[in-house]
């Protein structure tokens, strides 16, 4: 991939030309970065055909040990190209370079984790009648489709394909049109590392054509979608028409619940980072802070200092905060900020930065709203920008009730020195993950939502199982 070159789809081990292309932009400057191949439904057919042939032609019969070797080689190759991958990701999404390195390392880690665990995945022998052997096999589905958003293309891309490939499936990946470069490069590196052609294919272009063609395709046996609620519902409906299961990993409005007994020195910087990371464009961003009223003033002033001290710039300069992905996303975030001005008290931020150096890019200053009621629009809807809402509580029950008012249920952070309270929070919060005195989770921990956060099943050993299906068998041991 060179500058101003066309970023092409990758099918059956080769880059392919599409009938058309469209420009993609550098979020830090607003200038054109490259052209992106605009695939058609016929290209999706071709990719699914290649994946299907690769599955039948050998991948499904490749031993788990050999698949693990190849996935480890793929991870090694990512490691060898981490500088290049981080630069690509930072330029394409605008994210600070440091974060792009984290994403490259996570991509490799996902592949290694599923390479390591796939050999521990096996069926069972069930103690049924004594004259027969009753057993289960865990088999791959065949061709799996993966549709991902633009916020962590390399991280989420690897997260979803790694368990599928390890389990013996062949993949067709559709990255978001705003950030496809790193996924195409990953597919090239997979072949370089020795994965057979057709095992991993990437189709680029528009969601409404390419994504829709993939989600409604009868050649797919399982779908994994990460993205917004309305598109997720459309994808699941299209898949249901073919009786294809579709996992939906959707948005969030996750709360950090900060109790008065917590160590504020360690809690506050992590809480700030949980919304500033990737400019707030993280499904599990800590976008709501619920704070014990006794420490509210202290916490607010500490947060304000961090937000106002955060450097803003283009990703390659590795600032504290980069741009949003697109002008559309910036305008959406600024629109929510306008709504927020009528609902709550703006403490800091609230606009694009005024530096002329940043004028072409899609930047929004780190923003805090205080005194945000739980029914305010900015407390309920996912903003997907560097905007933190703050509200207070006076006891544990109120904290839980406020946290659970959300239509979403992805993650919650809990900050307390009281172990019994932490356990009650884990029990009572209606979310897929509760993180106590930390906001990091890791590759090993299953990640799944509740309510409007969907019913995805990513990460951990559970995701590996989820990319297999069970076959039962009975073998009579005595002549009938
Ligand atoms: P989106 O509009 O739902 O797009 C997600 C993906 O779906 C993109 O690849 C998109 O392609 C594709 N798509 C669009 N229309 C489609 C259609 N009709 N049929 C099939 N595919 C279609 O979401 P986004 O705006 O890119 O991402 C932001 C959202 O994703 C937020 O709500 C965020 O919380 C959520 N998210 C969730 C997680 C998680 O793990 N839970 C992670 C990251 C993001 P195009 O880009 O080409 O339109
Ligand atoms: Mg881009």
């Amino acid at each position: 991939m060179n500058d101003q070159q066309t970023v092409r789809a990758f099918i059956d081990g080769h880059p392919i030309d599409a009938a058309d292309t469209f420009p993609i932009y550098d979020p830090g400057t607003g200038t054109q970065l490259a052209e992106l191949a605009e695939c058609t439904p016929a290209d999706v057919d071709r990719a699914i055909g290649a994946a299907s042939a690769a599955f039948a032609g050998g991948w499904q019969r490749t031993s788990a040990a050999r698949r693990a070797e190849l996935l480890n080689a793929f991870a090694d190759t990512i490691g060898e190209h981490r500088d290049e991958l981080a630069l690509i990701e930072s330029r394409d999404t605008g994210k600070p370079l440091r974060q792009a390195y984290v994403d490259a390392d996570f991509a490799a880690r996902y592949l290694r984790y599923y390479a390591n665990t796939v050999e521990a995945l096996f069926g069972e022998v069930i103690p049924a009648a004594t004259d027969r052997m009753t057993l289960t096999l865990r088999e791959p589905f065949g061709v799996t489709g993966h549709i991902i958003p633009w916020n962590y293309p390399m991280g989420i891309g690897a997260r979803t394909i790694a368990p599928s490939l390890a389990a013996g499936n062949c993949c067709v990946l559709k990255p978001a049109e705003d950030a496809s470069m790193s996924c195409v490069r990953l597919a090239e590196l997979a072949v370089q590392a020795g994965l057979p052609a057709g095992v991993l294919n990437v189709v680029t272009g528009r969601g409404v054509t390419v994504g829709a063609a993939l989600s409604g395709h009868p050649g797919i046996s399982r779908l994994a979608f990460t993205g917004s609620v309305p598109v997720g519902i459309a994808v699941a409906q299209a898949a249901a028409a073919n009786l294809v299961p579709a996992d939906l990993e959707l948005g969030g409005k996750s709360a950090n619940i900060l109790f008065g007994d917590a160590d504020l020195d360690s809690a506050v910087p992590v809480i700030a980072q949980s919304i500033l990371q990737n400019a707030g464009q993280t499904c599990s961003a800590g976008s709501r802070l619920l704070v014990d009223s006794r420490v509210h003033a202290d916490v607010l002033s500490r947060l304000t200092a961090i937000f106002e001290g955060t450097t803003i710039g283009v990703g390659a300069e590795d600032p504290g905060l980069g741009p949003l992905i697109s002008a559309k996303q910036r305008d959406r975030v600024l629109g929510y900020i306008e709504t927020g001005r009528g609902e709550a008290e703006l403490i800091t931020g609230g606009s694009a930065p005024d530096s002329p150096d940043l004028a072409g890019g899609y930047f929004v200053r780190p923003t805090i709203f205080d005194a945000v009621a739980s029914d305010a629009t900015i407390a309920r809807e996912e903003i997907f920008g560097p905007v933190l809402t703050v509200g207070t509580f006076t006891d544990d029950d109120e904290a839980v009730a406020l946290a659970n008012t959300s239509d979403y249920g992805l993650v919650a952070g809990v900050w307390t020195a009281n172990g019994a309270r932490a356990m009650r929070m884990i029990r009572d919060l209606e979310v897929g993950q509760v993180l106590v005195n930390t906001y990091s989770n890791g590759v090993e921990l299953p990640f799944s939502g509740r309510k409007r956060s969907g019913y995805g099943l990513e990460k951990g050993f559970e995701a590996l199982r989820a990319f297999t299906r069970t076959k039962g068998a009975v073998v009579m041991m005595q002549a009938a």
Side-chain angles (χ1 to χ4, degrees):
M1 249 177 287
N2 307 320
D3 282 356
Q4 296 302 329
Q5 180 179 319
T6 300
V7 178
R8 296 193 284 172
F10 194 82
I11 297 177
D12 205 15
H14 302 284
I16 63 130
D17 286 318
D20 213 344
T21 66
F22 57 85
I24 51 175
Y25 298 94
D26 178 340
T29 60
T31 55
Q32 186 175 340
L33 196 56
E35 291 279 327
L36 183 68
E38 185 168 11
C39 289
T40 61
D43 296 318
V44 175
D45 283 345
R46 212 166 135 191
I48 292 173
S52 186
F55 181 74
W59 193 243
Q60 67 165 330
R61 300 275 176 257
T62 303
S63 69
R66 178 65 185 145
R67 274 186 257 129
E69 268 175 22
L70 288 168
L71 293 181
N72 273 320
F74 186 8
D76 291 342
T77 308
I78 291 173
E80 287 154 18
H81 291 81
R82 83 189 268 277
D83 292 335
E84 180 203 342
L85 286 166
L87 253 183
I88 289 174
E89 195 77 322
S90 176
R91 286 174 69 208
D92 198 13
T93 65
K95 70 178 64 194
L97 198 52
R98 191 176 56 250
Q99 176 65 46
Y101 271 103
V102 171
D103 296 358
D105 293 343
F106 259 103
R109 171 73 185 127
Y110 280 117
L111 290 159
R112 286 193 207 289
Y113 178 77
Y114 291 106
N116 291 339
T117 50
V118 69
E119 290 190 76
L121 179 74
F122 36 72
E124 293 169 324
V125 176
I126 298 163
T130 52
D131 62 346
R132 66 196 67 183
M133 199 66 86
T134 300
L135 51 100
T136 63
L137 291 75
R138 302 220 58 110
E139 296 188 332
F141 282 88
V143 180
T144 57
H146 306 257
I147 300 175
I148 63 166
W150 36 255
N151 53 353
Y152 295 85
M154 202 160 39
I156 294 178
R159 180 176 89 183
T160 181
I161 59 159
S164 182
L165 293 172
N169 301 289
C170 293
C171 301
V172 179
L173 173 66
K174 155 71 177 84
E177 64 190 56
D178 284 328
S180 293
M181 294 172 92
S182 62
C183 287
V184 171
R185 189 68 185 121
L186 282 184
E188 291 169 357
L189 294 177
V191 169
Q192 192 176 316
L195 263 80
V199 168
L200 173 59
N201 308 278
V202 177
V203 284
T204 56
R206 308 280 186 198
V208 285
T209 49
V210 177
L214 188 59
S215 39
H217 203 289
I220 291 279
S221 301
R222 190 189 183 286
L223 258 171
F225 173 84
T226 304
S228 65
V229 174
V231 176
I233 291 171
V235 163
Q237 284 172 337
N242 294 318
L243 302 178
V244 170
D247 264 16
L248 305 181
E249 195 72 68
L250 307 176
K253 192 73 186 179
S254 298
N256 269 297
I257 305 168
L258 177 54
F259 289 94
D261 65 353
D263 173 10
L264 299 186
D265 290 341
S266 58
V268 173
V270 178
I271 289 170
Q273 188 56 22
S274 79
I275 183 67
L276 296 180
Q277 177 178 317
N278 214 37
Q281 303 164 115
T282 305
C283 52
S284 56
S287 50
R288 288 189 294 154
L289 173 62
L290 301 172
V291 56
D292 189 326
S293 56
R294 288 168 301 167
V295 292
H296 167 255
D298 184 5
V299 167
L300 193 62
S301 77
R302 290 175 188 233
L303 280 171
T304 305
I306 294 174
F307 275 47
E308 291 178 353
T310 298
T311 55
I312 305 179
V314 299
E317 289 169 8
D318 203 25
L321 187 88
L324 297 171
I325 189 73
S326 61
K328 181 179 157 204
Q329 186 64 15
R330 182 218 26 223
D331 294 346
R332 183 168 176 269
V333 171
L334 291 174
Y336 274 114
I337 289 172
E338 280 320 298
T339 304
R341 285 176 195 275
E343 295 183 317
E345 187 186 340
L346 179 67
I347 301 296
T348 187
S351 61
D354 39 25
S355 157
D357 292 349
L358 303 177
Y362 315 133
F363 297 92
V364 173
R365 291 162 62 211
T367 298
I368 300 177
F369 282 103
D370 189 30
V372 182
S374 61
D375 61 352
T377 304
I378 57 167
R380 286 189 295 105
E381 296 186 13
E382 185 179 48
I383 298 174
F384 235 50
V387 180
L388 179 66
T389 70
V390 181
T392 57
F393 62 85
T394 54
D395 62 31
D396 293 28
D397 288 346
E398 190 185 9
V400 169
L402 288 171
N404 287 344
T405 51
S406 180
D407 293 336
Y408 293 99
L410 201 51
V411 170
V414 173
W415 299 88
T416 179
N418 180 329
R421 167 185 279 154
M423 297 309 286
R424 284 199 304 277
M425 292 292 138
I426 293 170
R427 183 193 63 191
D428 293 339
L429 290 167
E430 294 167 14
V431 293
Q433 278 191 354
V434 181
L435 307 170
V436 181
N437 295 328
T438 180
Y439 207 75
S440 69
N441 40 25
V443 166
E444 308 79 5
L445 188 68
F447 185 68
S448 185
R450 306 276 168 93
K451 303 192 269 186
R452 288 179 76 73
S453 295
Y455 45 85
L457 189 45
E458 308 269 342
K459 299 186 173 184
F461 197 71
E462 288 191 37
L464 184 63
R465 293 180 75 87
F467 277 103
T468 64
R469 50 187 164 184
T470 302
K471 180 184 278 175
V474 177
V475 181
M476 285 301 292
M477 294 186 290
Q478 293 164 0

